[in-house]
Amino acid sequence: MDDNKKGKTAKNLSRRDALALLGTAGAGALLNSLGSPIAAAALPQEPGFPLMIAGERAELRITVVNPRTLRISVLPVQKDGSVLEVKASAELVERNWPEPAEKIRTLGRPQPRGQFRGQSIPFGDLQVRVLPEPLTIFVQGRRGRIIPRLRFDADDASVSFDRGVAPAYGLGEGGPQFDRGGQDYPMRNGQGMGLDVLGARMPIPWVVGGIGWGLFFHRPYGTFDLRDRAGRFIPSAGESALPLDFFLVTSEDPADIFKEYAQLTGFQQLPPIWSLGYQQSHRTLTSPEEILTEAKTFREKRLPCDVLIYLGTGFCPSGWNTGHGSFTFNEKVFPDPENMIGDLHKENFRFVPHVVLKARRLHGEISDSGAATQDPEDIANYWATHLKVFEMGTDGWWPDEGDWLPAEDRLLRNQMYWDGPIASRPNVRPYALHRNGYAGIQRYGWLWSGDIESTWRTLEAQIAVGINTGLSGMPFWGTDTGGFVTTPELTGELYARWFQFSSFCPLFRSHGRTWKLRLPWGWNTGEYGPEELGGYRGDAGLPAKSELHNPEVEPICRKYLNLRYQLMPYLYSVVKEASETGMPIMRALWLHYPDDSRSVECSNEYLWGRDILVAPVTEKGAPHKRVYLPPGTWYDFWTGEKAEGATTVERPIDLATLPLYVRAGAIVPLGPVKQYTTEKSNEAVVFHVYPGADGQFDLYEDDGTSFDYKKGKFTVLRAAWNDAQRQFRLSHTGGEPPSGGRKFAVRMAGAKTQRAVTFDGKEGTLQL
């Protein structure tokens, strides 16, 4: 034994020395058989020293949640020997957690240096290894891969982890993009000051490594310092460092990682199908006639649209209500609100008003009663203020502000806009578009990226923001199309390019100051409409007047509106897949090409579902777009031309062209053009087959608005392609079989003709 340590006692032993002594009583107990969980009271009662973290006696627990997820908890030990457990929280879904595989709170007798080699416990097909100095836990694969090594700092309870050289993703919305490495990320929420390129921050303490791991820090709140190759989670100053509770997820398949995260924080809800249609936002309103005229113009011009959103008075001089926090209609523009909402419904528009939160904290539940209903910060009281407007026919909500709320209050507010509407309309799927939230928001609503400026640089940045938001477990995301604060850069060209990008975002919505320029026809009227630039400095300003006579923009908007609605059978099926798997809708190339280094690092293009590659144009006046195609064969969506992947192609473009590619083996269903998502049509859905590999696609259908799908009222049809036999097969694989003879068509990529198919519920094949 080291002579310098011979005489140390529990009183003067340093934390570092104490950690070095993790031995017979500690490591031996910790590393016993996984099949025999050990209660703390059953630990060997040898003389030793307590495990000390952040100045507190602590108990380390390791829980094998399943073969891919490990829960690691460091809990404070009270004076009476009891452990302060981790409190239940809204961000974790309720479940019966397994008993800890191991518990340890006592460090054993000193051992000669160099003799402790550590032992391991099974974790699926991996091994969890624990070493004492410094206290270290790491997961080792069968081939020796370490994912990742976790080191505990006894002084401040921070946790270091090896990031490796691959990018780090996730951490919520906002902040420096795309690879999160090289920066630190305080878990601060809210909109930045002044004009913003990246938008609002909605932090989520979930970081994902491109080599196959994820870490979700459930407690406490803190900062992720990723400036070095060894990342570090540091509990926030002012927060108690213990209990420390986090999850390690590891898999070589990225899809497994996101399914595990969804099992922890909740799977995405299936939203109403109309929320996937185009949403048009309004700001300063002049009259009831203007409101109804805007709606009729969409239908007369045959520009598809599902949702009309109205800003409240306060952020504009004349909105739908009388001021911030008000639920009283502005009589100047909504003199008879119930009938006006009814008129919009007759034209098959959904009505969504903007609401501003004034409370500084929130608590409680929708079901609260008695004195709680008189507390303006109680959820039951706050939801009750919405009811009069809701009962007039409101279809959804746009909750704004609330940046100041703590994380648990933000999530409680998200939940209110799900539970509240269901309490009144039990069989109608709710809709709410949030600016704030937290881990678990995907169970309740949508998110937009906040107030961003109208510049090319902002458009480019939003691609990476959207990808990382999806990698943070939140798939329902989008931007203010065209940007929020108008600048001289907001020309018809920039708006058209942004509109194309938004047509391939889950949220397809136009909004911003000088709002008439956010209408599809707004760039050829010769007028700005309400300018709304007061109070903004920096880059804020108007485009040249000459820009308001651009006849190209409206046809381009129509082209991508029509395409969005034609792709609705594909998109709705992808959204259903997301609700079952936790996979994003807007997917980083890494998710499907983890072994391709260029895909792992790609931040300026993405996959729309599994099959369609989207490469938004973010350069003014660009004559071409350089597009990286992952390994495999790809088809140009517009021309049908084939290209081999694992390389960059240079795609010539004009203003009307957004480069889109479809992978070989894909089957993409396209429906008819509709003016709103639930419009009835007798036109056939056409399965577009992209040969060169086998493939399949599950077409999911239900009524689009109710929860009846949970009772089995849905249909899944599987379209499959056998490339060697050139055979297309259609079969019923889930839910209710289609009634009668259902008409479809099949078209090979690049072909000008298609083959009709009538499906009667029995498996059928077609030779192509």
Side-chain angles (χ1 to χ4, degrees):
M1 180 182 293
D2 189 331
D3 290 338
N4 292 330
K5 291 186 178 178
K6 264 184 184 178
K8 291 196 175 183
T9 65
K11 182 177 180 180
N12 60 16
L13 186 72
S14 72
R15 294 189 185 94
R16 179 178 177 83
D17 291 334
L19 286 172
L21 300 178
L22 179 57
T24 55
L30 178 63
L31 302 173
N32 273 336
S33 168
L34 186 62
S36 303
I38 301 174
L43 291 172
Q45 299 301 308
E46 298 184 38
F49 305 101
L51 173 62
M52 300 292 293
I53 298 288
E56 297 187 69
R57 291 180 59 197
E59 177 175 287
L60 172 67
R61 292 183 182 177
I62 296 180
T63 303
V64 178
V65 178
N66 60 42
R68 286 190 288 267
T69 298
L70 201 67
R71 186 175 193 174
I72 301 167
S73 307
V74 181
L75 310 178
V77 177
Q78 308 299 293
K79 290 182 179 180
D80 63 0
S82 63
V83 172
L84 184 63
E85 302 285 349
V86 179
K87 293 181 180 178
S89 61
E91 60 263 38
L92 293 181
V93 294
E94 292 185 11
R95 63 190 293 178
N96 293 320
W97 297 98
E99 284 296 314
E102 305 291 351
K103 299 179 181 181
I104 179 171
R105 62 170 70 176
T106 302
L107 302 178
R109 293 173 177 172
Q111 293 183 349
R113 283 186 179 275
Q115 290 188 11
F116 185 80
R117 297 290 193 278
Q119 299 181 41
S120 63
I121 56 176
F123 170 37
D125 61 351
L126 307 171
Q127 294 288 320
V128 179
R129 295 177 59 81
V130 182
L131 296 175
E133 185 185 3
L135 180 59
T136 302
I137 299 174
F138 63 91
V139 177
Q140 186 170 9
R142 296 299 185 192
R143 293 173 292 178
R145 187 165 63 99
I146 297 174
I147 340 167
R149 190 185 307 262
L150 304 167
R151 300 179 183 89
F152 296 79
D153 189 300
D155 291 320
D156 63 7
S158 64
V159 181
S160 299
F161 50 94
D162 299 319
R163 295 198 299 110
V165 296
Y169 312 115
L171 292 177
E173 178 189 62
Q177 307 288 321
F178 159 70
D179 177 2
R180 297 294 201 169
Q183 303 282 340
D184 63 337
Y185 294 84
M187 293 286 100
R188 287 199 295 265
N189 175 76
Q191 181 72 41
M193 299 298 292
L195 300 180
D196 208 319
V197 171
L198 295 171
R201 290 196 184 207
M202 187 200 73
I204 293 178
W206 163 245
V207 61
V208 184
I211 56 173
W213 55 267
L215 282 167
F216 176 58
F217 280 82
H218 170 230
R219 287 290 185 273
Y221 305 117
T223 293
F224 288 85
D225 184 347
L226 304 181
R227 289 175 292 183
D228 298 320
R229 285 186 60 178
R232 190 171 172 226
F233 173 80
I234 309 164
S236 294
E239 293 273 351
S240 176
L242 301 183
L244 173 64
D245 186 47
F246 64 98
F247 297 83
L248 169 65
V249 179
T250 180
S251 173
E252 294 186 21
D253 184 350
D256 290 339
I257 294 173
F258 288 91
K259 189 165 189 176
E260 291 298 313
Y261 176 79
Q263 288 175 335
L264 294 173
T265 64
F267 287 88
Q268 304 93 324
Q269 297 283 358
L270 188 60
I273 193 170
W274 56 261
S275 63
L276 300 168
Y278 178 64
Q279 304 185 25
Q280 180 63 60
S281 183
H282 301 68
R283 286 181 56 88
T284 301
L285 304 169
T286 60
S287 67
E289 291 74 24
E290 179 191 43
I291 293 170
L292 297 175
T293 297
E294 298 290 354
K296 290 179 180 178
T297 302
F298 273 98
R299 297 297 182 241
E300 290 168 357
K301 288 179 171 286
R302 296 195 63 75
L303 293 163
C305 181
D306 267 87
V307 185
L308 299 177
I309 303 179
Y310 297 96
L311 190 74
T313 302
F315 288 134
C316 69
S318 180
W320 75 269
N321 63 2
T322 58
H324 285 329
S326 168
F327 290 90
T328 300
F329 278 90
N330 176 4
E331 292 186 357
K332 177 182 176 183
V333 292
F334 281 93
D336 187 356
E338 192 164 6
N339 282 333
M340 286 187 68
I341 294 172
D343 289 341
L344 295 175
H345 284 167
K346 289 175 184 176
E347 294 291 334
N348 295 289
F349 291 103
R350 307 288 175 162
F351 174 80
V352 175
H354 165 269
V355 289
V356 172
L357 176 72
K358 301 183 79 173
R360 308 308 295 183
R361 291 295 306 263
L362 291 171
H363 55 80
E365 300 177 354
I366 288 292
S367 58
D368 285 350
S369 59
T373 61
Q374 305 304 310
D375 180 353
E377 294 186 345
D378 189 273
I379 284 294
N381 175 287
Y382 186 49
W383 173 246
T385 63
H386 295 65
L387 285 176
K388 185 176 180 181
V389 173
F390 189 61
E391 290 166 355
M392 290 182 184
T394 294
D395 297 287
W397 301 94
W398 177 19
D400 200 355
E401 293 287 285
D403 292 357
W404 53 82
L405 292 173
E408 59 270 21
D409 296 28
R410 299 196 301 270
L411 188 58
L412 186 61
R413 186 187 185 200
N414 301 150
Q415 184 177 359
M416 184 196 77
Y417 284 102
W418 182 265
D419 291 347
I422 289 177
S424 296
R425 302 173 190 167
N427 201 29
V428 177
R429 299 178 215 169
Y431 171 78
L433 175 60
H434 298 277
R435 193 173 85 182
N436 291 289
Y438 193 58
I441 184 179
Q442 70 273 9
R443 308 199 298 266
Y444 306 122
W446 293 65
L447 183 72
W448 98 99
S449 62
D451 297 347
I452 48 179
E453 60 183 338
S454 303
T455 67
W456 289 95
R457 187 166 64 104
T458 305
L459 171 58
E460 181 180 24
Q462 292 303 297
I463 300 169
V465 172
I467 294 172
N468 259 339
T469 303
L471 292 174
S472 302
M474 178 52 183
F476 302 126
W477 175 92
T479 71
D480 290 342
T481 301
F484 175 70
V485 179
T486 305
T487 79
E489 285 191 45
L490 180 59
T491 61
E493 179 190 3
L494 176 56
Y495 184 74
R497 291 301 190 196
W498 209 314
F499 200 90
Q500 292 165 0
F501 166 59
S502 290
S503 70
F504 283 90
C505 289
L507 176 70
F508 187 11
R509 165 181 170 268
S510 286
H511 175 71
R513 289 178 175 258
T514 320
W515 75 271
K516 296 280 188 175
L517 298 183
R518 306 317 194 278
L519 293 164
W521 60 88
W523 288 92
N524 198 29
T525 67
E527 300 292 337
Y528 294 113
E531 296 177 8
E532 304 180 326
L533 294 181
Y536 283 87
R537 299 179 182 178
D539 297 331
L542 296 171
K545 195 88 172 179
S546 59
E547 286 290 330
L548 306 182
H549 300 279
N550 188 337
E552 291 185 83
V553 177
E554 184 179 334
I556 292 172
C557 290
R558 179 178 288 104
K559 174 180 178 178
Y560 287 90
L561 284 168
N562 287 346
L563 180 58
R564 172 73 167 217
Y565 281 73
Q566 284 184 286
L567 280 168
M568 198 59 65
Y570 175 85
L571 175 57
Y572 194 56
S573 299
V574 170
V575 170
K576 176 59 176 175
E577 178 194 0
S579 74
E580 295 175 338
T581 65
M583 284 284 276
I585 301 161
M586 183 177 176
R587 300 180 184 176
L589 302 189
W590 164 71
L591 285 168
H592 292 292
Y593 301 93
D595 297 325
D596 178 49
S597 61
R598 294 188 65 183
S599 294
V600 169
E601 297 171 355
C602 189
S603 64
N604 63 351
E605 56 191 62
Y606 56 93
L607 294 167
W608 187 236
R610 174 65 183 93
D611 300 319
I612 302 175
L613 187 147
V614 183
V617 179
T618 59
E619 180 184 350
K620 182 179 180 180
H624 60 264
K625 171 73 176 180
R626 290 175 61 81
V627 181
Y628 176 71
L629 300 177
T633 301
W634 294 83
Y635 290 81
D636 188 305
F637 177 82
W638 304 109
T639 68
E641 182 181 352
K642 281 203 303 185
E644 291 306 312
T647 190
T648 297
V649 298
E650 195 166 281
R651 173 58 158 93
I653 54 174
D654 57 19
L655 184 57
T657 303
L658 166 67
L660 301 171
Y661 288 83
V662 185
R663 69 180 184 92
I667 302 172
V668 179
L670 267 69
V673 173
K674 295 183 177 183
Q675 298 309 298
Y676 50 94
T677 52
T678 55
E679 183 179 17
K680 303 298 182 184
S681 174
N682 292 322
E683 293 185 44
V685 170
V686 181
F687 292 103
H688 291 250
V689 177
Y690 293 82
D694 292 346
Q696 68 180 40
F697 184 84
D698 287 342
L699 176 66
Y700 175 83
E701 298 175 321
D702 61 25
D703 64 23
T705 58
S706 78
F707 290 102
D708 287 349
Y709 70 92
K710 294 186 176 183
K711 303 174 184 177
K713 294 184 178 181
F714 64 89
T715 299
V716 179
L717 301 179
R718 176 164 294 171
W721 170 249
N722 185 308
D723 198 60
Q725 298 179 11
R726 309 289 290 180
Q727 187 179 81
F728 176 86
R729 184 174 71 255
L730 191 62
S731 58
H732 170 244
T733 59
E736 300 176 332
S739 57
R742 177 81 181 276
K743 294 182 179 180
F744 293 97
V746 183
R747 177 181 293 182
M748 297 293 290
K752 295 182 179 179
T753 59
Q754 60 193 40
R755 298 272 299 276
V757 176
T758 300
F759 184 67
D760 59 4
K762 298 179 181 179
E763 182 174 310
T765 60
L766 188 65
Q767 207 70 33
L768 296 173

